[in-house]
Coordinates of all heavy atoms in Angstrom, one line a residue:
M684 N 0.9 -1.2 0.0 CA 0.0 0.1 0.0 C 0.9 1.2 -0.1 O 1.9 1.3 0.7 CB -0.9 -0.1 1.2 CG -1.8 1.1 1.5 SD -3.0 1.5 0.3 CE -3.9 0.1 0.2
G685 N 0.5 2.2 -0.7 CA 1.3 3.5 -0.9 C 0.9 4.5 0.1 O 1.5 5.6 0.0
I686 N 0.1 4.2 1.2 CA -0.2 5.2 2.1 C 0.6 4.9 3.4 O 0.5 3.7 3.8 CB -1.8 5.3 2.4 CG1 -2.5 5.5 1.1 CG2 -2.0 6.2 3.4 CD1 -4.0 5.4 1.3
K687 N 1.2 5.9 3.9 CA 2.1 5.6 5.1 C 1.8 6.7 6.1 O 1.3 7.9 5.7 CB 3.5 5.6 4.8 CG 3.9 4.4 3.9 CD 5.4 4.4 3.7 CE 5.7 5.2 2.3 NZ 7.0 5.2 1.9
A688 N 2.0 6.5 7.4 CA 1.8 7.6 8.4 C 3.1 7.6 9.2 O 3.8 6.7 9.4 CB 0.7 7.2 9.4
D689 N 3.4 8.8 9.6 CA 4.5 9.2 10.5 C 4.0 9.7 11.8 O 2.9 10.2 11.9 CB 5.5 10.2 9.8 CG 6.1 9.6 8.5 OD1 6.4 8.5 8.4 OD2 6.2 10.5 7.6
R690 N 4.9 9.6 12.8 CA 4.4 10.0 14.2 C 5.2 11.2 14.7 O 6.4 11.2 14.5 CB 4.6 8.9 15.1 CG 4.1 9.1 16.4 CD 4.4 8.0 17.4 NE 4.0 8.3 18.6 CZ 3.3 7.5 19.4 NH1 3.0 6.2 19.0 NH2 2.9 7.8 20.6
G691 N 4.6 12.2 15.2 CA 5.3 13.3 15.8 C 4.5 13.9 16.9 O 3.3 13.8 17.0
G692 N 5.3 14.3 17.9 CA 4.6 14.9 19.1 C 4.1 16.2 18.9 O 4.6 17.0 18.1
K693 N 3.1 16.7 19.6 CA 2.5 18.0 19.4 C 3.5 19.1 19.7 O 3.5 20.1 19.1 CB 1.2 18.1 20.3 CG 0.4 19.4 20.2 CD -0.3 19.4 18.9 CE -1.3 20.5 18.9 NZ -1.9 20.7 17.7
S694 N 4.3 18.8 20.8 CA 5.3 19.8 21.3 C 6.7 19.6 20.7 O 7.6 20.3 20.9 CB 5.4 19.9 22.7 OG 5.7 18.6 23.2
S695 N 6.8 18.6 19.8 CA 8.1 18.3 19.2 C 8.2 18.8 17.8 O 7.2 19.0 17.1 CB 8.3 16.8 19.1 OG 9.4 16.5 18.4
N696 N 9.3 19.2 17.2 CA 9.6 19.7 15.9 C 9.9 18.6 15.0 O 10.2 18.8 13.8 CB 10.7 20.8 15.9 CG 10.4 22.0 16.6 OD1 9.1 22.4 16.7 ND2 11.2 22.7 17.2
N697 N 9.9 17.4 15.5 CA 10.4 16.2 14.7 C 9.2 15.2 14.3 O 8.4 15.0 15.1 CB 11.5 15.4 15.5 CG 12.7 16.3 15.7 OD1 13.1 17.1 14.9 ND2 13.3 16.1 16.8
W698 N 9.3 14.7 13.1 CA 8.4 13.6 12.7 C 9.3 12.4 12.7 O 10.5 12.5 12.3 CB 7.9 13.8 11.3 CG 6.8 14.8 11.3 CD1 6.9 16.2 11.0 CD2 5.4 14.6 11.6 NE1 5.7 16.8 11.1 CE2 4.8 15.8 11.4 CE3 4.7 13.5 11.9 CZ2 3.3 15.9 11.7 CZ3 3.4 13.5 12.1 CH2 2.7 14.9 12.0
Y699 N 8.8 11.4 13.3 CA 9.5 10.0 13.3 C 9.2 9.3 12.0 O 7.9 8.9 11.9 CB 9.3 9.3 14.6 CG 9.7 10.1 15.8 CD1 8.8 10.8 16.5 CD2 11.1 10.1 16.2 CE1 9.2 11.6 17.6 CE2 11.5 10.8 17.3 CZ 10.6 11.5 18.0 OH 11.0 12.3 19.1
Q700 N 10.1 9.1 11.2 CA 9.8 8.3 9.9 C 9.6 6.9 10.1 O 10.5 6.1 10.1 CB 10.9 8.6 9.0 CG 11.1 10.0 8.6 CD 10.0 10.7 7.9 OE1 9.4 10.0 7.0 NE2 9.6 11.9 8.2
R701 N 8.4 6.5 10.6 CA 8.1 5.1 10.9 C 7.6 4.4 9.8 O 7.6 3.1 9.7 CB 7.2 5.0 12.1 CG 7.6 5.8 13.3 CD 8.8 5.0 14.0 NE 8.5 3.6 14.4 CZ 7.9 3.3 15.5 NH1 7.7 4.2 16.5 NH2 7.6 2.0 15.7
D702 N 7.1 5.1 8.8 CA 6.5 4.4 7.6 C 5.4 3.4 8.0 O 5.5 2.2 7.6 CB 7.6 3.8 6.7 CG 8.4 4.8 5.9 OD1 7.9 6.0 5.8 OD2 9.4 4.5 5.5
L703 N 4.6 3.8 8.8 CA 3.6 2.9 9.3 C 2.5 2.6 8.2 O 2.0 3.5 7.5 CB 2.8 3.6 10.4 CG 3.7 3.9 11.7 CD1 2.9 4.9 12.6 CD2 4.1 2.7 12.5
P704 N 2.3 1.4 7.9 CA 1.3 1.0 6.9 C -0.1 1.4 7.2 O -0.5 1.3 8.4 CB 1.4 -0.5 6.6 CG 2.0 -1.0 8.0 CD 2.8 0.1 8.6
V705 N -0.8 2.0 6.2 CA -2.2 2.4 6.4 C -3.1 1.5 5.5 O -2.7 1.3 4.3 CB -2.4 3.8 6.1 CG1 -3.8 4.2 6.2 CG2 -1.5 4.7 6.9
N706 N -4.0 0.9 6.0 CA -5.0 0.0 5.3 C -6.2 0.8 4.9 O -6.7 1.6 5.7 CB -5.2 -1.2 6.0 CG -4.1 -2.1 6.4 OD1 -3.3 -2.4 5.5 ND2 -3.8 -2.2 7.7
I707 N -6.7 0.6 3.7 CA -8.0 1.1 3.3 C -9.1 0.0 3.4 O -8.9 -1.1 2.9 CB -7.9 1.7 1.9 CG1 -6.9 2.8 1.9 CG2 -9.3 2.2 1.4 CD1 -6.6 3.4 0.4
A708 N -10.2 0.3 3.9 CA -11.3 -0.7 4.0 C -12.6 0.0 3.9 O -12.7 1.2 3.8 CB -11.3 -1.3 5.4
T709 N -13.6 -0.7 3.5 CA -15.0 -0.2 3.5 C -15.8 -1.1 4.4 O -15.6 -2.2 4.6 CB -15.6 -0.2 2.1 OG1 -15.5 -1.7 1.6 CG2 -14.8 0.6 1.1
H710 N -16.6 -0.3 5.1 CA -17.5 -1.0 6.1 C -18.9 -0.3 6.2 O -18.9 0.9 6.3 CB -16.8 -1.0 7.4 CG -17.7 -1.7 8.6 ND1 -17.9 -3.1 8.6 CD2 -18.4 -1.2 9.6 CE1 -18.7 -3.3 9.6 NE2 -19.0 -2.2 10.2
D711 N -20.0 -1.0 5.9 CA -21.3 -0.3 5.9 C -21.3 0.9 4.9 O -21.8 1.9 5.2 CB -21.7 0.1 7.2 CG -22.0 -1.0 8.2 OD1 -22.3 -2.1 7.7 OD2 -21.9 -0.8 9.4
K712 N -20.6 0.7 3.7 CA -20.5 1.7 2.7 C -19.9 2.9 3.2 O -20.2 4.0 2.8 CB -21.9 2.0 2.1 CG -22.5 0.8 1.4 CD -23.7 1.2 0.6 CE -24.2 0.0 -0.3 NZ -24.9 0.4 -1.4
K713 N -18.9 2.9 4.1 CA -18.1 3.9 4.6 C -16.7 3.7 4.2 O -16.2 2.6 4.4 CB -18.3 4.0 6.1 CG -19.7 4.5 6.6 CD -19.8 4.4 8.1 CE -21.2 4.7 8.5 NZ -21.4 4.6 10.0
L714 N -15.9 4.7 3.9 CA -14.5 4.6 3.6 C -13.7 4.8 4.8 O -14.0 5.8 5.6 CB -14.2 5.7 2.5 CG -12.6 5.8 2.2 CD1 -12.1 4.4 1.6 CD2 -12.4 7.0 1.3
E715 N -12.8 3.9 5.1 CA -12.1 3.9 6.4 C -10.6 3.7 6.1 O -10.3 2.9 5.3 CB -12.6 2.9 7.4 CG -14.0 3.1 7.8 CD -14.5 1.9 8.7 OE1 -13.9 0.9 8.6 OE2 -15.5 2.1 9.3
F716 N -9.7 4.4 6.9 CA -8.3 4.1 6.9 C -7.9 3.6 8.3 O -8.5 4.1 9.3 CB -7.6 5.5 6.7 CG -7.8 6.1 5.3 CD1 -8.8 7.0 5.1 CD2 -7.0 5.7 4.2 CE1 -9.0 7.6 3.9 CE2 -7.3 6.2 3.0 CZ -8.3 7.2 2.8
W717 N -7.2 2.6 8.3 CA -6.8 1.9 9.6 C -5.3 1.9 9.7 O -4.5 1.6 8.7 CB -7.2 0.5 9.6 CG -8.7 0.3 9.7 CD1 -9.6 0.3 8.7 CD2 -9.5 0.1 10.8 NE1 -11.0 0.1 9.1 CE2 -10.9 -0.1 10.4 CE3 -9.2 -0.1 12.2 CZ2 -11.9 -0.3 11.3 CZ3 -10.3 -0.4 13.1 CH2 -11.6 -0.5 12.6
L718 N -4.8 2.1 10.9 CA -3.4 2.0 11.2 C -3.1 1.7 12.6 O -4.0 1.9 13.5 CB -2.6 3.2 10.7 CG -2.8 4.6 11.5 CD1 -1.5 5.3 11.6 CD2 -3.8 5.3 10.8
E719 N -2.0 1.3 13.0 CA -1.5 1.0 14.4 C -0.3 1.9 14.7 O 0.6 2.0 13.9 CB -1.2 -0.5 14.5 CG -2.3 -1.5 14.3 CD -1.9 -2.9 14.5 OE1 -0.7 -3.2 14.5 OE2 -2.7 -3.8 14.5
L720 N -0.3 2.4 15.9 CA 0.8 3.2 16.4 C 1.3 2.6 17.7 O 0.5 2.1 18.5 CB 0.4 4.6 16.7 CG 0.0 5.5 15.6 CD1 -0.6 6.8 16.1 CD2 1.1 5.8 14.7
D721 N 2.6 2.5 17.9 CA 3.1 2.1 19.2 C 2.7 3.2 20.3 O 2.8 4.4 20.0 CB 4.6 2.1 19.2 CG 5.2 1.0 18.2 OD1 4.4 0.0 18.1 OD2 6.3 1.1 17.8
S722 N 2.2 2.7 21.3 CA 1.7 3.6 22.5 C 2.9 4.0 23.3 O 3.8 3.2 23.4 CB 0.6 2.9 23.3 OG -0.5 2.6 22.5
K723 N 2.8 5.1 23.9 CA 3.8 5.6 24.8 C 4.1 4.6 25.9 O 5.2 4.5 26.3 CB 3.3 6.9 25.4 CG 4.4 7.9 25.9 CD 3.8 9.1 26.3 CE 4.9 10.2 26.5 NZ 4.2 11.5 26.9
G724 N 3.1 4.0 26.4 CA 3.3 3.0 27.4 C 3.7 1.7 27.1 O 3.8 0.7 27.8
G725 N 4.0 1.4 25.8 CA 4.5 0.2 25.4 C 3.5 -0.7 24.6 O 3.8 -1.7 24.1
G726 N 2.2 -0.3 24.6 CA 1.3 -1.1 23.9 C 1.1 -0.7 22.5 O 2.0 0.0 21.8
V727 N -0.1 -1.0 21.9 CA -0.4 -0.5 20.5 C -1.7 0.2 20.4 O -2.7 -0.4 21.1 CB -0.4 -1.8 19.6 CG1 -0.8 -1.4 18.1 CG2 0.9 -2.5 19.5
T728 N -1.7 1.3 19.8 CA -3.0 2.0 19.6 C -3.5 1.9 18.2 O -2.8 2.1 17.3 CB -2.7 3.5 19.9 OG1 -2.3 3.7 21.2 CG2 -4.0 4.4 19.7
D729 N -4.7 1.4 18.0 CA -5.4 1.3 16.7 C -6.1 2.7 16.4 O -6.7 3.2 17.2 CB -6.5 0.3 16.8 CG -5.9 -1.2 16.9 OD1 -4.9 -1.5 16.3 OD2 -6.5 -2.0 17.6
I730 N -5.9 3.1 15.2 CA -6.5 4.3 14.7 C -7.4 4.0 13.5 O -7.0 3.3 12.6 CB -5.4 5.3 14.2 CG1 -4.3 5.6 15.3 CG2 -6.0 6.7 13.7 CD1 -4.7 6.4 16.4
R731 N -8.6 4.5 13.6 CA -9.5 4.4 12.4 C -10.0 5.8 12.1 O -10.5 6.5 12.9 CB -10.7 3.6 12.8 CG -11.7 3.3 11.7 CD -13.0 2.6 12.1 NE -13.8 3.3 13.1 CZ -14.7 4.2 12.7 NH1 -15.0 4.5 11.5 NH2 -15.4 4.9 13.8
I732 N -9.8 6.1 10.8 CA -10.2 7.3 10.2 C -11.4 7.1 9.2 O -11.2 6.3 8.3 CB -9.1 8.1 9.5 CG1 -7.9 8.4 10.5 CG2 -9.6 9.4 8.9 CD1 -6.7 8.8 9.9
E733 N -12.6 7.7 9.5 CA -13.7 7.5 8.6 C -13.9 8.7 7.8 O -13.9 9.8 8.3 CB -15.0 7.2 9.4 CG -16.2 7.0 8.6 CD -17.4 6.8 9.4 OE1 -17.3 5.9 10.2 OE2 -18.4 7.5 9.2
V734 N -13.9 8.6 6.4 CA -14.1 9.7 5.6 C -15.6 9.7 5.2 O -16.1 8.8 4.6 CB -13.3 9.5 4.2 CG1 -13.5 10.7 3.3 CG2 -11.8 9.4 4.5
E735 N -16.2 10.8 5.6 CA -17.7 10.9 5.4 C -17.9 11.2 3.9 O -17.1 11.9 3.2 CB -18.2 12.1 6.2 CG -18.2 11.8 7.7 CD -18.7 12.9 8.5 OE1 -19.2 14.0 7.9 OE2 -18.7 12.8 9.8
K736 N -19.1 10.7 3.4 CA -19.4 11.0 2.0 C -19.3 12.4 1.5 O -18.9 12.7 0.4 CB -20.7 10.3 1.6 CG -20.7 8.8 1.8 CD -22.1 8.3 1.5 CE -22.1 6.8 1.7 NZ -23.4 6.2 1.5
A737 N -19.6 13.3 2.5 CA -19.6 14.7 2.1 C -18.2 15.2 1.9 O -18.1 16.2 1.2 CB -20.2 15.6 3.3
S738 N -17.2 14.4 2.3 CA -15.8 14.9 2.0 C -15.1 14.2 0.8 O -14.0 14.5 0.5 CB -14.9 14.5 3.4 OG -15.5 15.2 4.4
Y739 N -15.9 13.4 0.2 CA -15.3 12.7 -1.0 C -14.7 13.6 -2.1 O -13.7 13.6 -2.6 CB -16.3 11.6 -1.7 CG -16.5 10.4 -1.0 CD1 -16.0 10.2 0.3 CD2 -17.4 9.5 -1.5 CE1 -16.3 9.0 0.9 CE2 -17.6 8.3 -0.7 CZ -17.1 8.1 0.4 OH -17.4 6.9 1.1
E740 N -15.6 14.8 -2.3 CA -15.1 15.7 -3.3 C -13.9 16.4 -2.8 O -13.0 16.7 -3.7 CB -16.3 16.8 -3.5 CG -15.9 17.7 -4.6 CD -17.1 18.7 -4.9 OE1 -18.3 18.4 -4.6 OE2 -16.8 19.8 -5.4
D741 N -13.8 16.7 -1.5 CA -12.6 17.4 -1.1 C -11.3 16.5 -1.2 O -10.2 16.9 -1.6 CB -12.7 17.7 0.4 CG -13.9 18.8 0.7 OD1 -14.0 19.6 -0.3 OD2 -14.4 18.7 1.8
L742 N -11.5 15.2 -0.9 CA -10.4 14.2 -1.0 C -10.0 14.1 -2.4 O -8.8 14.1 -2.7 CB -11.0 12.9 -0.5 CG -9.9 11.7 -0.5 CD1 -8.8 12.0 0.4 CD2 -10.6 10.4 0.0
L743 N -10.9 14.0 -3.3 CA -10.6 13.8 -4.8 C -9.9 15.1 -5.3 O -9.0 15.2 -6.0 CB -11.8 13.6 -5.6 CG -11.6 13.3 -7.0 CD1 -10.6 12.1 -7.3 CD2 -12.9 12.9 -7.7
S744 N -10.5 16.3 -4.9 CA -9.8 17.6 -5.3 C -8.4 17.7 -4.7 O -7.5 18.2 -5.6 CB -10.7 18.7 -4.7 OG -11.9 18.9 -5.3
A745 N -8.1 17.3 -3.5 CA -6.7 17.3 -3.1 C -5.8 16.4 -4.0 O -4.7 16.7 -4.3 CB -6.7 16.9 -1.6
M746 N -6.4 15.2 -4.3 CA -5.6 14.3 -5.1 C -5.3 14.9 -6.5 O -4.2 14.8 -7.1 CB -6.4 13.0 -5.2 CG -6.4 12.2 -4.0 SD -7.6 10.8 -4.1 CE -6.8 9.8 -5.3
L747 N -6.3 15.6 -7.1 CA -6.2 16.3 -8.4 C -5.0 17.3 -8.3 O -4.3 17.5 -9.3 CB -7.5 16.8 -8.9 CG -8.5 15.7 -9.3 CD1 -9.9 16.5 -9.4 CD2 -8.1 15.1 -10.6
Q748 N -5.1 18.1 -7.2 CA -4.0 19.0 -7.1 C -2.6 18.4 -7.0 O -1.6 19.0 -7.5 CB -4.3 19.9 -5.8 CG -5.4 20.8 -5.9 CD -5.7 21.6 -4.7 OE1 -4.9 21.6 -3.8 NE2 -6.9 22.3 -4.7
C749 N -2.5 17.3 -6.5 CA -1.2 16.6 -6.3 C -0.7 16.2 -7.7 O 0.5 16.3 -7.9 CB -1.2 15.4 -5.3 SG -1.4 16.0 -3.6
D750 N -1.6 15.5 -8.4 CA -1.1 14.9 -9.7 C -2.4 14.7 -10.5 O -3.1 13.6 -10.4 CB -0.4 13.6 -9.5 CG 0.3 13.1 -10.8 OD1 -0.3 13.4 -11.9 OD2 1.3 12.5 -10.7
F751 N -2.8 15.7 -11.3 CA -4.1 15.6 -12.0 C -4.2 14.4 -12.9 O -5.1 13.6 -12.9 CB -4.2 16.9 -12.8 CG -5.5 17.0 -13.6 CD1 -6.7 17.4 -13.1 CD2 -5.6 16.4 -15.0 CE1 -7.9 17.4 -13.8 CE2 -6.8 16.4 -15.6 CZ -7.9 17.0 -15.1
D752 N -3.1 14.2 -13.8 CA -3.2 13.1 -14.8 C -3.2 11.7 -14.1 O -4.0 10.9 -14.5 CB -2.0 13.2 -15.7 CG -2.1 14.4 -16.6 OD1 -3.1 14.8 -16.9 OD2 -0.9 14.8 -17.1
K753 N -2.4 11.5 -13.0 CA -2.4 10.2 -12.3 C -3.7 9.9 -11.7 O -4.3 8.9 -11.8 CB -1.2 10.2 -11.4 CG -1.2 8.9 -10.5 CD -0.8 7.7 -11.4 CE -0.7 6.5 -10.6 NZ -0.6 5.3 -11.3
T754 N -4.3 11.1 -11.1 CA -5.5 10.8 -10.4 C -6.6 10.5 -11.3 O -7.4 9.6 -11.1 CB -5.9 12.1 -9.7 OG1 -4.9 12.4 -8.7 CG2 -7.2 12.0 -9.0
V755 N -6.7 11.2 -12.5 CA -7.7 10.9 -13.5 C -7.6 9.5 -14.0 O -8.6 8.8 -14.2 CB -7.8 11.9 -14.6 CG1 -8.7 11.6 -15.8 CG2 -8.1 13.3 -14.1
R756 N -6.5 9.1 -14.4 CA -6.2 7.7 -14.9 C -6.5 6.7 -13.8 O -7.2 5.7 -14.2 CB -4.7 7.5 -15.4 CG -4.4 8.2 -16.7 CD -3.1 7.8 -17.2 NE -2.0 7.9 -16.3 CZ -1.2 9.0 -16.1 NH1 -1.5 10.1 -16.9 NH2 -0.3 9.1 -15.2
S757 N -6.1 6.9 -12.6 CA -6.4 5.9 -11.6 C -8.0 5.9 -11.3 O -8.5 4.7 -11.1 CB -5.7 6.4 -10.3 OG -4.4 6.3 -10.4
F758 N -8.6 6.9 -11.3 CA -10.0 7.0 -11.2 C -10.8 6.2 -12.2 O -11.7 5.3 -12.0 CB -10.6 8.4 -11.0 CG -12.0 8.4 -10.5 CD1 -12.4 8.3 -9.3 CD2 -13.1 8.7 -11.5 CE1 -13.7 8.4 -8.8 CE2 -14.4 8.7 -11.1 CZ -14.7 8.5 -9.7
A759 N -10.3 6.4 -13.5 CA -10.9 5.7 -14.7 C -10.7 4.2 -14.5 O -11.6 3.4 -14.8 CB -10.3 6.3 -15.9
T760 N -9.5 3.9 -14.1 CA -9.1 2.4 -14.0 C -10.0 1.8 -12.9 O -10.5 0.6 -13.0 CB -7.6 2.2 -13.7 OG1 -6.8 2.8 -14.8 CG2 -7.3 0.8 -13.5
A761 N -10.1 2.4 -11.8 CA -10.9 1.9 -10.7 C -12.3 1.8 -11.1 O -13.0 0.7 -10.7 CB -10.8 2.8 -9.5
C762 N -12.9 2.7 -11.9 CA -14.3 2.6 -12.3 C -14.4 1.4 -13.3 O -15.4 0.7 -13.2 CB -14.7 3.9 -13.1 SG -14.9 5.3 -12.0
Q763 N -13.4 1.2 -14.2 CA -13.5 0.1 -15.1 C -13.5 -1.3 -14.3 O -14.3 -2.3 -14.6 CB -12.4 0.1 -16.1 CG -12.6 1.2 -17.1 CD -11.3 1.3 -18.0 OE1 -10.3 0.7 -17.7 NE2 -11.4 2.2 -19.0
K764 N -12.5 -1.4 -13.3 CA -12.5 -2.6 -12.5 C -13.8 -2.8 -11.8 O -14.3 -4.0 -11.6 CB -11.3 -2.5 -11.5 CG -10.0 -2.6 -12.2 CD -8.8 -2.5 -11.1 CE -7.5 -2.6 -11.8 NZ -6.3 -2.5 -10.8
W765 N -14.4 -1.8 -11.1 CA -15.5 -1.9 -10.4 C -16.7 -2.4 -11.3 O -17.5 -3.2 -10.9 CB -15.9 -0.6 -9.7 CG -17.1 -0.7 -8.9 CD1 -17.1 -1.0 -7.5 CD2 -18.5 -0.5 -9.3 NE1 -18.5 -1.1 -7.1 CE2 -19.3 -0.7 -8.2 CE3 -19.1 -0.2 -10.5 CZ2 -20.7 -0.7 -8.2 CZ3 -20.5 -0.2 -10.5 CH2 -21.3 -0.4 -9.4
R766 N -16.8 -1.8 -12.5 CA -17.8 -2.1 -13.4 C -17.7 -3.6 -13.9 O -18.7 -4.3 -14.0 CB -17.7 -1.2 -14.7 CG -19.0 -1.4 -15.7 CD -19.0 -0.4 -16.6 NE -19.6 0.9 -16.0 CZ -19.4 2.1 -16.5 NH1 -18.6 2.3 -17.5 NH2 -19.9 3.1 -15.9
R767 N -16.5 -4.0 -14.1 CA -16.3 -5.5 -14.6 C -16.7 -6.4 -13.3 O -17.4 -7.4 -13.6 CB -14.8 -5.8 -14.9 CG -14.5 -5.3 -16.3 CD -13.2 -5.9 -16.8 NE -12.0 -5.4 -16.0 CZ -11.4 -4.3 -16.3 NH1 -11.6 -3.6 -17.3 NH2 -10.4 -3.9 -15.5
A768 N -16.4 -6.0 -12.1 CA -16.6 -6.9 -11.0 C -18.1 -6.9 -10.7 O -18.6 -7.9 -10.0 CB -15.8 -6.5 -9.8
N769 N -18.8 -5.8 -11.0 CA -20.2 -5.7 -10.6 C -21.2 -5.8 -11.7 O -22.4 -5.5 -11.5 CB -20.4 -4.4 -9.8 CG -19.6 -4.4 -8.5 OD1 -20.1 -5.1 -7.6 ND2 -18.5 -3.8 -8.5
A770 N -20.7 -6.1 -12.9 CA -21.6 -6.3 -14.1 C -22.5 -7.4 -14.0 O -22.2 -8.4 -13.4 CB -20.7 -6.4 -15.4
P771 N -23.8 -7.3 -14.4 CA -24.7 -8.4 -14.3 C -24.2 -9.6 -15.1 O -23.6 -9.4 -16.2 CB -26.0 -7.8 -14.8 CG -25.9 -6.3 -15.0 CD -24.4 -6.1 -14.9
K772 N -24.4 -10.8 -14.5 CA -23.9 -11.9 -15.2 C -24.9 -12.2 -16.4 O -26.0 -12.3 -16.2 CB -23.8 -13.1 -14.3 CG -23.1 -12.9 -13.0 CD -21.6 -12.7 -13.4 CE -20.8 -12.7 -12.1 NZ -19.6 -11.8 -12.2
S773 N -24.3 -12.3 -17.6 CA -25.2 -12.6 -18.8 C -25.4 -14.2 -18.8 O -24.5 -15.0 -18.4 CB -24.5 -12.2 -20.0 OG -23.2 -12.7 -20.2
R774 N -26.5 -14.6 -19.4 CA -26.8 -16.0 -19.4 C -26.3 -16.6 -20.6 O -26.1 -16.3 -21.6 CB -28.3 -16.2 -19.3 CG -28.8 -15.6 -18.0 CD -30.4 -15.8 -18.0 NE -30.8 -15.3 -16.7 CZ -31.8 -15.7 -16.1 NH1 -32.4 -16.7 -16.5 NH2 -32.2 -15.1 -15.0

């Protein structure tokens, strides 16, 4: 997965390059990002970020600003894959 998270303290000027893997999931038609962080006390903290449907346009706009051509191609490819996977089965 090409999404990673780094960790930094609120009062620190440093980001710790941990390259924590971030997983993308869908649950009840909601887009979610999941990751785990080492806790200060030695355990593990699970983080779940839910992207509300009202924010999809903002998310896509941010992606377009980063790389318009790659975003458009990726969106088109994802649409084609989804359509093939969800096409009605012909008899």
Side-chain angles (χ1 to χ4, degrees):
M684 173 67 53
I686 300 174
K687 295 181 267 183
D689 297 321
R690 180 183 183 139
K693 185 76 171 171
S694 60
S695 171
N696 293 330
N697 298 321
W698 284 96
Y699 299 97
Q700 301 292 322
R701 302 290 301 268
D702 290 339
L703 302 166
V705 178
N706 298 302
I707 298 175
T709 56
H710 180 71
D711 291 334
K712 296 195 173 196
K713 296 177 184 172
L714 175 62
E715 299 175 340
F716 296 93
W717 292 82
L718 65 145
E719 295 178 348
L720 294 173
D721 294 334
S722 298
K723 202 174 190 179
V727 176
T728 299
D729 290 322
I730 307 287
R731 180 183 65 86
I732 301 167
E733 181 181 309
V734 180
E735 295 180 2
K736 291 178 184 179
S738 297
Y739 286 5
E740 186 176 337
D741 296 332
L742 182 62
L743 188 55
S744 292
M746 293 170 61
L747 289 165
Q748 287 179 8
C749 291
D750 188 330
F751 181 87
D752 293 334
K753 177 65 176 172
T754 300
V755 170
R756 283 193 307 271
S757 297
F758 190 77
T760 299
C762 288
Q763 290 171 349
K764 286 180 182 179
W765 184 90
R766 187 170 282 153
R767 280 194 296 269
N769 293 284
K772 306 290 184 216
S773 58
R774 295 181 185 212

